[in-house]
Amino acid sequence: MTEPLDARQQQARDFAFQALDLQQADFAPASADASFRRYLRVDTHQGTSRIIMDAPPNQENSEPFVRIAALMKAAGLNAPEVLD
């Protein structure tokens, strides 16, 4: 039996469908740690895979992650693509 999604899980799924222009996808936890962040693997039916990081803004500051990812990309390094 599948547990119902909490509000943030539902928001992450809705975001994935919209931001990645998906019609269908499979979602599964990608990892777990002791922080408030959650990671969700999105496997599309086109054969691609993405990771969504859910970081509640009132508990996690994502600005340094976004800034460093942009600096790495600008330097020509592989870095996560931040969609929103």
Side-chain angles (χ1 to χ4, degrees):
M1 182 173 180
T2 304
E3 292 185 35
L5 300 176
D6 66 33
R8 290 198 65 85
Q9 288 171 317
Q10 187 60 54
Q11 289 174 335
R13 287 175 62 97
D14 293 346
F15 170 79
F17 278 108
Q18 182 179 16
L20 302 173
D21 193 29
L22 300 174
Q23 300 300 315
Q24 290 183 311
D26 296 316
F27 295 83
S31 70
D33 61 23
S35 74
F36 291 100
R37 289 183 302 269
R38 291 191 283 190
Y39 300 91
L40 187 66
R41 176 176 297 284
V42 181
D43 292 315
T44 71
H45 288 226
Q46 292 82 20
T48 61
S49 180
R50 302 283 189 268
I51 299 291
I52 293 178
M53 179 182 73
D54 173 30
N58 60 334
Q59 296 170 318
E60 296 281 344
N61 180 5
S62 297
E63 190 276 331
F65 176 87
V66 173
R67 184 171 31 86
I68 290 170
L71 289 170
M72 290 175 68
K73 281 247 192 230
L77 301 171
N78 287 331
E81 178 182 2
V82 178
L83 299 176
D84 191 22

